[in-house]
């Protein structure tokens, strides 16, 4: 890494933040030092400068934080997945087709689902639903009679009835049976309505997945049928003369599969089961391998929970060739392949952009440390330590820490004055900074170095809520790339961690990508007065976009929808702006009546006006101001 700013290059920034490593061809750092996006995989030379996007957003008076959606990335991901399957199927002389579905739980935003349906049209790409409301959405949005609709999740009579309505509308709607009792409910219903259902069977897999979602497979999995149950179901279908309804075999061993070996294992198990069922006379046509196609969030191409050790090409090849091999051995026809990739389709397309609103620094405050008459011995001791620059760093650190601890005890007993405490504190941090800067980061000679680095790191206060915008970083320790949007041609000199504006001490990011490592903090640039500093949190398009909650009543973010276009200045245009949730709306979801609130506050203001504490004109201004804030954003105004 270069040490002077003059030597700092874009390559150093790339090395540090790993933008290309996790960027999947969509994100890089431009020569301008700004993040750059190439959203259309067919037009890699059409690039959008993130700073231009921000400037335009600000020019339109849009408040940060905002979610920025690149619709072309969404389209590209749909095309890449479908075309990779088509190409591999052809290369392998595989005789089935690929008939993928997008599981809308990963991002149910209407605009996202519409874009995916539109981009997937040429491939008959369908949708998957896992609940009644999702089923209602897919009924209305997947009109293509040649695309599948796969229905997972636990079902009641209404769920099944809606699915049969789908059949009446001539949709390829497949009801995946999770439990024996669902079939017992379905059969009389289908007979009563005179509709022939298409049935899928979800198998509980024996292969154990790894990572955060390992519980989706194995004997104790929440979903799916054991082999015994599958055979019982087949018996029942035969008895009811409905065996020809059984069209699909489904499995899903967990999301974000980081190790390709697990994928291969699952495919072998699933394909073998498929082949055996065909031989039992079950007329299956589809093998559905579920989701799990991973995202390399941390850019390490490894088996860490936030990465994957394979490419999409490799994944698809392992599926197609894996199923083909087993079917050929078993001498059964190749099934049509279905996958339910959600994360892989949506993760890249959106990011959260926000501004840093302040810095919290342990070392910032300074107090005059000169000696005073009769000062406490702890203060003089600490001063001596300040002047002992040649002491062994470890020893000096230990002494400073122990004086600090004693000072705290002494303060509690009333022995040290406020003045003395402020002096001690100033000196303590000064010593730590000195020790830290004297050490060579690479050699790690000093055991507590990392601890020291953490203590000295600044906290950058970031205008967003982790709980709304990055739920998984808090819930499951997911790593998401966080990178300054511009100034990447400048050396980032401040080690910091990112904290949000909620009043929750959990409201912070604790894992950062630094080179090929995960760190507790990350270098960012020095903040300049009167100049905005923007950071982007990337790869938030899967789950994060839709799982957020309103902790502290911070609402949904404003959304900006971007399309790329050769003929537009900057190669992009803003197609739509969806305003974030206002304070009013957020309060109403908690059953507040905001009219009542406004009236009450007005009544109180009026009372003070009558008493002469507030001038009448001023009273009107206060009333209007309160109402304006109700209609405004829940985030900090920047
Ligand atoms: C969640 C889920 C998916 C999506 O998985 P990804 O890893 O996001 O691709 C697919 N199928 C089922 C049944 C699911 O529950």
């Amino acid at each position: 890494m270069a040490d002077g700013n003059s030597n700092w290059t874009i390559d150093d920034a790339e090395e540090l933040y790993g933008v290309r490593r996790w960027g999947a061809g969509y994100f890089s750092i431009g020569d301008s030092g700004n993040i750059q996006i190439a959203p259309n995989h067919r037009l890699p030379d059409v690039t959008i400068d993130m700073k231009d996007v921000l400037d335009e957003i600000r020019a339109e008076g849009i408040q940060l934080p905002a979610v920025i959606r690149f619709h072309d990335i969404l389209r590209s991901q749909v095309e890449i997945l479908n075309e990779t399957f088509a190409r591999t199927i052809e290369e392998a002389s595989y005789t089935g087709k690929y008939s993928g579905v997008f599981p809308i739980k990963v991002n149910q935003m209407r605009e996202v689902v519409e874009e995916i349906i539109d981009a997937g049209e040429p491939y008959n790409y369908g949708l998957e639903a896992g609940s009644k409301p999702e089923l209602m959405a897919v009924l209305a949005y997947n009109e293509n009679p040649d695309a599948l609709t796969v229905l997972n999740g636990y079902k009641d009579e209404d769920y099944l009835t809606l699915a049969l309505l789908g059949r009446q509308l001539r949709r390829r709607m497949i009801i995946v049976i999770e439990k024996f009792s669902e079939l017992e409910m379905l059969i009389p219903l289908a007979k009563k309505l005179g509709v022939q259902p298409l049935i899928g069977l979800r198998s509980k897999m024996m292969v154990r997945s790894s990572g955060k979602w390992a519980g989706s497979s194995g004997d104790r999995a929440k979903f799916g049928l054991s082999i015994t149950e599958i055979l019982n179901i087949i018996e029942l279908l035969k008895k009811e003369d409905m065996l020809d309804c059984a069209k699909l075999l489904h499995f899903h061993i967990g999301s974000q599969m980081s190790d390709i070996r697990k994928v291969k294992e699952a495919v072998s198990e699933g394909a073998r089961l498929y082949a055996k069922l065909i031989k039992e006379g079950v007329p299956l046509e589809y093998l559905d391998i579920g989701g799990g196609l991973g995202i390399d969030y941390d850019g390490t191409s490894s088996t860490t929970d936030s990465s994957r050790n394979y490419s999409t090409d490799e994944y698809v090849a392992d599926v197609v060739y894996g199923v083909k091999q087993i079917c050929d051995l078993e001498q059964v026809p190749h099934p049509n392949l279905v996958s339910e990739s959600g994360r892989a389709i949506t993760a890249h397309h959106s990011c959260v952009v926000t501004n840093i609103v302040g810095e919290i620094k342990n070392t910032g405050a300074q107090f005059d440390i000169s000696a005073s008459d009769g000062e406490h011995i702890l203060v003089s001791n600490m001063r001596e330590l300040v002047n002992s620059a040649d002491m062994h760093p470890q020893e000096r650190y230990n002494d400073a820490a122990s004086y600090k601890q004693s000072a705290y005890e002494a303060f509690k007993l009333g022995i040290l004055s406020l003045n003395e405490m402020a002096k001690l504190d100033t000196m303590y941090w000064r010593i730590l900074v000195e020790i830290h800067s004297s050490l060579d980061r690479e050699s790690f000679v000093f055991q507590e170095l990392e601890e020291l680095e953490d203590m000295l790191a600044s906290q950058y206060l970031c205008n967003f809520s982790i709980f709304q915008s990055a739920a998984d970083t808090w819930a499951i320790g997911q790593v998401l790339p966080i990178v300054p949007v511009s100034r990447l041609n400048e050396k980032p000199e401040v080690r910091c961690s990112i904290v949000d504006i909620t009043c929750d001490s959990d409201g912070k990011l604790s894992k950062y990508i630094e080179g090929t490592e995960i760190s507790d903090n990350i270098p960012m640039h020095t903040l300049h007065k009167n100049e905005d500093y923007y950071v982007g949190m990337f790869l938030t398009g899967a789950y994060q976009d839709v799982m957020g909650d309103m902790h502290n009543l911070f609402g949904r973010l404003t959304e900006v929808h971007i399309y790329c276009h050769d003929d537009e200045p900057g190669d992009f245009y803003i197609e739509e702006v969806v305003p974030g949730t206002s304070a009013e709306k957020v309060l109403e979801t908690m059953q507040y009546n905001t009219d009542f609130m406004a009236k009450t506050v007005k009544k109180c203001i009026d009372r003070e006006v009558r008493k002469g504490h507030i001038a009448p004109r001023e009273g009107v201004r206060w009333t209007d101001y309160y109402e304006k804030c109700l209609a405004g954003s829940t985030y900090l105004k920047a």
Side-chain angles (χ1 to χ4, degrees):
M1 210 176 282
D3 33 32
N5 201 15
S6 54
N7 297 329
W8 180 262
T9 65
I10 301 288
D11 289 341
D12 295 319
E14 173 55 48
E15 184 55 34
L16 170 63
Y17 297 113
V19 180
R20 278 181 193 280
R21 285 193 292 264
W22 51 257
Y26 297 116
F27 300 96
S28 61
I29 303 174
D31 294 335
S32 53
N34 302 335
I35 293 283
Q36 181 174 284
I37 301 109
N40 185 332
H41 72 119
R42 296 198 209 284
L43 306 169
D45 296 332
V46 178
T47 56
I48 299 174
D49 188 308
M50 193 80 165
K51 188 67 176 21
D52 291 346
V53 175
L54 275 184
D55 289 346
E56 187 154 337
I57 288 179
R58 298 312 301 261
E60 292 202 7
I62 296 163
Q63 287 275 319
L64 296 179
V67 170
I68 302 184
R69 290 194 193 288
F70 294 98
H71 283 251
D72 301 273
I73 295 185
L74 211 46
R75 301 187 75 87
S76 293
Q77 288 296 90
V78 170
E79 288 164 8
I80 290 170
L81 185 67
N82 279 283
E83 285 167 16
T84 308
F85 264 105
R87 198 178 58 239
T88 313
I89 279 174
E90 174 148 1
E91 281 164 11
S93 309
Y94 188 90
T95 55
K97 288 202 292 266
Y98 175 66
S99 202
V101 290
F102 170 69
I104 69 168
K105 77 154 190 258
V106 179
N107 196 323
Q108 303 102 339
M109 296 295 299
R110 175 178 54 81
E111 294 90 340
V112 170
V113 173
E114 281 176 346
E115 196 72 65
I116 289 173
I117 284 288
D118 190 60
E121 234 284 326
Y123 317 100
N124 295 322
Y125 193 59
L127 296 175
E128 185 262 9
S131 68
K132 229 179 332 186
E134 287 186 357
L135 164 54
M136 287 185 245
V138 301
L139 257 175
Y141 280 89
N142 183 15
E143 288 191 62
N144 181 350
D146 296 320
L148 290 185
T149 301
V150 177
L151 302 176
N152 291 314
Y154 290 122
K155 302 164 191 76
D156 64 5
E157 206 169 291
D158 285 336
Y159 189 132
L160 295 171
T161 308
L162 285 165
L164 294 171
L165 167 62
R167 287 298 294 147
Q168 292 291 63
L169 304 176
R170 305 197 304 134
R171 309 281 174 75
R172 284 199 203 183
M173 203 161 254
I174 300 186
I175 301 169
V176 177
I177 300 294
E178 307 267 7
K179 281 194 318 192
F180 192 79
S181 58
E182 289 176 355
L183 187 64
E184 292 175 319
M185 210 187 318
L186 175 63
I187 291 172
L189 210 55
K191 291 200 165 157
K192 192 176 85 189
L193 296 170
V195 183
Q196 195 179 37
L198 302 178
I199 293 175
L201 306 172
R202 177 165 184 172
S203 157
K204 188 180 275 189
M205 299 291 276
M206 287 173 274
V207 53
R208 284 312 295 255
S209 172
S210 51
K212 303 283 186 196
W213 289 270
S216 305
S217 65
D219 287 338
R220 292 283 301 152
K222 189 169 124 189
F223 293 108
L225 307 159
S226 66
I227 288 182
T228 318
E229 286 168 315
I230 290 178
L231 292 181
N232 288 340
I233 282 180
I234 289 165
E235 275 317 300
L236 180 58
L237 285 173
K238 275 187 188 154
K239 200 175 103 212
E240 299 286 343
D241 200 18
M242 285 176 72
L243 189 60
D244 54 344
C245 297
K247 296 291 183 204
L248 176 143
L249 177 67
H250 174 279
F251 64 86
H252 170 73
I253 70 162
S255 198
Q256 183 61 17
M257 283 192 276
S258 54
D259 191 348
I260 191 71
R261 284 177 308 176
K262 290 292 170 194
V263 176
K264 290 184 202 237
E265 261 185 75
V267 165
S268 316
E269 186 182 337
R272 192 67 73 176
L273 185 57
Y274 160 82
K276 297 292 184 203
L277 289 171
I278 290 283
K279 288 180 159 172
E280 291 289 318
V282 187
L284 296 170
E285 292 172 17
Y286 298 94
L287 178 61
D288 181 345
I289 60 168
L293 177 53
I295 289 287
D296 193 2
Y297 290 100
D298 65 18
T300 58
S301 306
S302 70
T303 57
T304 64
D305 287 345
S306 297
S307 187
R308 63 174 195 183
N309 66 351
Y310 55 92
S311 65
T312 301
D313 282 4
E314 224 177 312
Y315 172 85
V316 171
D318 281 342
V319 171
V320 173
Y321 285 94
V323 174
K324 177 179 154 72
Q325 186 179 39
I326 287 177
C327 290
D328 290 349
L329 282 169
E330 295 271 2
Q331 297 183 312
V332 297
H334 304 160
N336 294 319
L337 293 170
V338 181
S339 78
E340 304 174 343
S341 291
R343 190 184 292 279
I345 295 290
T346 58
H348 293 95
H349 93 280
S350 79
C351 58
V352 173
V353 177
T354 186
N355 52 318
I356 302 292
V357 289
E359 179 176 8
I360 306 164
K361 207 166 157 181
N362 282 331
T363 56
Q366 297 291 330
F367 200 78
D368 178 7
I369 60 163
S370 45
S372 51
D373 288 342
E375 71 178 6
H376 194 274
I377 179 95
L378 278 170
V379 184
S380 340
N381 283 351
M382 194 71 107
R383 186 174 304 97
E384 211 168 293
L385 214 51
V386 169
N387 298 325
S388 316
D390 46 3
M391 224 170 133
H392 187 278
Q394 174 85 64
E395 227 171 282
R396 197 171 174 217
Y397 176 71
N398 292 345
D399 283 359
S402 111
Y403 295 152
K404 167 120 171 148
Q405 181 61 32
S406 310
Y408 168 64
E409 301 296 340
F411 180 72
K412 278 194 296 184
L413 295 171
I415 296 166
L416 283 185
S417 70
L418 280 174
N419 254 324
E420 287 172 318
M421 278 306 278
K423 278 185 191 177
L424 263 155
D425 216 45
T426 305
M427 293 191 281
Y428 172 75
W429 289 111
R430 206 175 281 183
I431 292 164
L432 260 52
V433 170
E434 235 180 75
I435 295 174
H436 181 249
S437 60
S438 73
L439 292 169
D440 176 5
R441 183 155 200 275
E442 308 303 312
S443 56
F444 279 90
V445 282
F446 185 47
Q447 271 182 3
E448 274 102 344
L449 178 68
E450 265 181 89
E451 188 184 310
L452 195 59
E453 201 156 73
D454 238 13
M455 287 168 75
L456 294 175
S458 277
Q459 289 177 311
Y460 272 16
L461 192 57
C462 195
N463 192 15
F464 80 133
S465 157
I466 301 275
F467 307 95
Q468 176 62 252
S469 297
D472 278 344
T473 65
W474 169 70
I476 56 167
Q478 161 94 62
V479 179
L480 290 174
I482 184 152
V483 183
V485 165
S486 51
R487 290 175 63 186
L488 292 160
N489 48 1
E490 269 175 57
K491 186 176 183 188
E493 308 264 18
V494 184
R495 275 213 157 257
C496 65
S497 59
I498 302 283
V499 296
D500 75 4
I501 56 170
T502 66
C503 301
D504 193 313
S505 48
D506 268 358
K508 59 175 194 273
L509 294 176
S510 46
K511 289 180 180 172
Y512 303 88
I513 299 166
E514 184 174 6
T516 51
E517 309 271 316
I518 300 301
S519 295
D520 297 340
N521 44 58
I522 189 174
M524 293 252 171
H525 301 93
T526 316
L527 303 179
H528 298 324
K529 263 210 164 62
N530 304 321
E531 187 185 306
D532 285 320
Y533 187 64
Y534 299 117
V535 295
M537 186 159 60
F538 294 87
L539 314 187
T540 56
Y543 303 101
Q544 311 316 303
D545 262 357
V546 293
M547 286 196 323
D549 66 32
M550 297 197 299
H551 193 13
N552 252 167
L553 299 188
F554 287 112
R556 288 191 65 81
L557 273 56
T558 298
E559 292 208 7
V560 182
H561 295 235
I562 307 258
Y563 280 88
C564 83
H565 201 296
D566 264 346
D567 297 337
E568 297 284 334
D571 291 337
F572 74 92
Y573 65 99
I574 295 178
E575 191 251 0
E576 193 188 7
V577 176
V578 187
T581 330
S582 63
E584 210 160 45
K585 283 274 173 317
V586 170
L587 285 159
E588 278 162 14
T589 61
M590 296 289 155
Q591 303 283 56
Y592 286 91
N593 180 332
T594 49
D595 281 342
F596 171 81
M597 287 164 57
K599 278 195 195 111
T600 308
V601 171
K602 180 174 186 307
K603 202 169 67 194
C604 298
I605 292 171
D606 288 348
R607 193 158 52 216
E608 296 308 311
V609 169
R610 277 198 306 278
K611 287 187 191 155
H613 296 154
I614 299 179
R617 204 180 282 272
E618 213 183 312
V620 174
R621 269 207 303 273
W622 281 122
T623 309
D624 288 350
Y625 183 71
Y626 183 80
E627 283 171 15
K628 197 177 113 206
C629 288
L630 274 179
S633 160
T634 55
Y635 293 90
L636 300 180
K637 206 151 132 186

